[in-house]
Amino acid sequence: MEHAATRVQEYIGDPVSDAPPVSREKLEAIFADIQSDMRYDHELNGCLNCGICTATCPSAHYYDYSPREIVQLLWTENLEGIYDAMQEKIWACAQCYTCAARCPFGNSPGGLVMLMREVAIKHGMESARNVLRPFSRVMLKLISTGNQLSPDMISKDAFPDWGPNISKVDAPLATLRKAIPVPTLHTTKTAWEVNLKTSVELYTIWEETGVLDSLKTIDTNLFDVISDIMDEKRDDWQDFLDDQEDQDDE
Ligand code: SF4
Ligand code: SF4
């Protein structure tokens, strides 16, 4: 989709910061990635700067974060401000989309934040690495098994940021799971059963949608571990198919 050239002044750097200036080319490349996403024009239609989104935003109550500010940065194509917001602020959004339901322009500030997060990951920004690092176990589970959180992952050590409420789930889970009527859920190792064929199909989806490329950018070690698991499961699936073929030939 064609977009008008940026209206922003040339980047001149921050005279009071020790941080090395980010090149104009890099700022433009980041904004171009945000702007070229097919969702961008649906989620940004203009901005009155009315602040309704921020007034209804739960994250704005607790953090130094304002969806109005994010939308204004994008609408005015403030490349430095966009880059700056991607260092911390965009990670405060809870993705509840209350803002999208309220905005008189039909904007989706939460959706725009999601785009900015994806671009932060694509560009391997340190903020993305820092935010996603504690979730490496979740990503390993999700990408390799199709499960997100399984009961055996919910412990005080794994989720210290849950505070004292974590004790509420510190229960005899193995026993409790046995009470679930569905036999495949009688384990704490998986949230639900994902069969081999579905797992292998999921791997294709992760590859084709660029999820694995993003993972490689922000966590090479995790990417390698997951790639090994995927190779093993694909081999298992191929062995299964070969066995089936042999049986059909007999
Ligand atoms: S509610 Fe919509 S128009 Fe108002 S400040 Fe937020 S994004 Fe802009
Ligand atoms: S989606 Fe994000 S920006 Fe929008 S109201 Fe929810 S927390 Fe705030």
Side-chain angles (χ1 to χ4, degrees):
M1 190 173 293
E2 290 285 320
H3 291 281
T6 178
R7 302 187 292 269
V8 189
Q9 298 295 311
E10 284 295 311
Y11 177 67
I12 55 171
D14 180 349
V16 297
S17 169
D18 291 335
V22 181
S23 72
R24 176 79 187 174
E25 288 72 27
K26 182 162 183 181
L27 294 176
E28 286 181 352
I30 288 169
F31 183 57
D33 279 339
I34 297 170
Q35 198 183 30
S36 62
D37 190 289
M38 64 184 295
R39 292 165 288 179
Y40 188 79
D41 285 341
H42 293 284
E43 298 180 339
L44 181 58
N45 305 299
C47 181
L48 285 169
N49 212 357
C50 65
I52 290 174
C53 51
T54 297
T56 58
C57 171
S59 295
H61 286 277
Y62 295 101
Y63 300 103
D64 176 20
Y65 169 73
S66 157
R68 180 197 57 77
E69 182 190 347
I70 301 288
V71 173
Q72 276 291 311
L73 290 172
L74 293 168
W75 182 240
T76 59
E77 301 184 4
N78 182 334
L79 304 199
E80 291 169 60
I82 291 168
Y83 182 84
D84 191 47
M86 291 169 82
Q87 304 316 302
E88 186 169 348
K89 289 185 177 175
I90 58 167
W91 304 102
C93 170
Q95 293 289 298
C96 70
Y97 291 94
T98 307
C99 51
R102 297 282 193 276
C103 174
F105 258 78
N107 296 331
S108 174
L112 292 165
V113 163
M114 177 60 84
L115 289 183
M116 294 166 83
R117 288 177 174 180
E118 290 174 13
V119 173
I121 291 170
K122 178 182 172 187
H123 285 262
M125 286 187 182
E126 199 55 34
S127 67
R129 291 180 206 274
N130 291 339
V131 166
L132 295 174
R133 195 168 291 123
F135 295 99
S136 56
R137 291 177 73 229
V138 176
M139 287 196 282
L140 172 64
K141 197 87 173 183
L142 175 64
I143 298 175
S144 64
T145 71
N147 280 256
Q148 192 189 17
L149 279 179
S150 57
D152 66 351
M153 293 166 69
I154 303 173
S155 67
K156 283 184 207 165
D157 295 339
F159 294 96
D161 56 322
W162 284 16
N165 287 330
I166 189 73
S167 62
K168 291 179 185 165
V169 293
D170 201 8
L173 293 176
T175 305
L176 292 174
R177 296 279 287 186
K178 293 268 189 296
I180 299 174
V182 185
T184 52
L185 299 183
H186 290 175
T187 169
T188 59
K189 289 192 171 25
T190 56
W192 50 82
E193 195 68 32
V194 178
N195 68 31
L196 190 55
K197 180 171 184 281
T198 305
S199 292
V200 171
E201 287 171 350
L202 278 173
Y203 300 159
T204 304
I205 293 172
W206 306 142
E207 278 174 349
E208 295 295 320
T209 55
V211 169
L212 291 181
D213 290 339
S214 297
L215 179 65
K216 194 174 183 181
T217 306
I218 56 165
D219 193 335
T220 315
N221 290 339
L222 184 59
F223 171 81
D224 289 342
V225 170
I226 288 176
S227 294
D228 287 346
I229 294 173
M230 286 168 58
D231 288 345
E232 271 176 38
K233 285 209 186 181
R234 279 177 162 147
D235 287 347
D236 289 347
W237 177 240
Q238 192 55 51
D239 289 346
F240 171 80
L241 291 178
D242 291 345
D243 285 348
Q244 292 291 306
E245 213 172 286
D246 290 345
Q247 284 175 17
D248 289 345
D249 291 343
E250 284 171 7

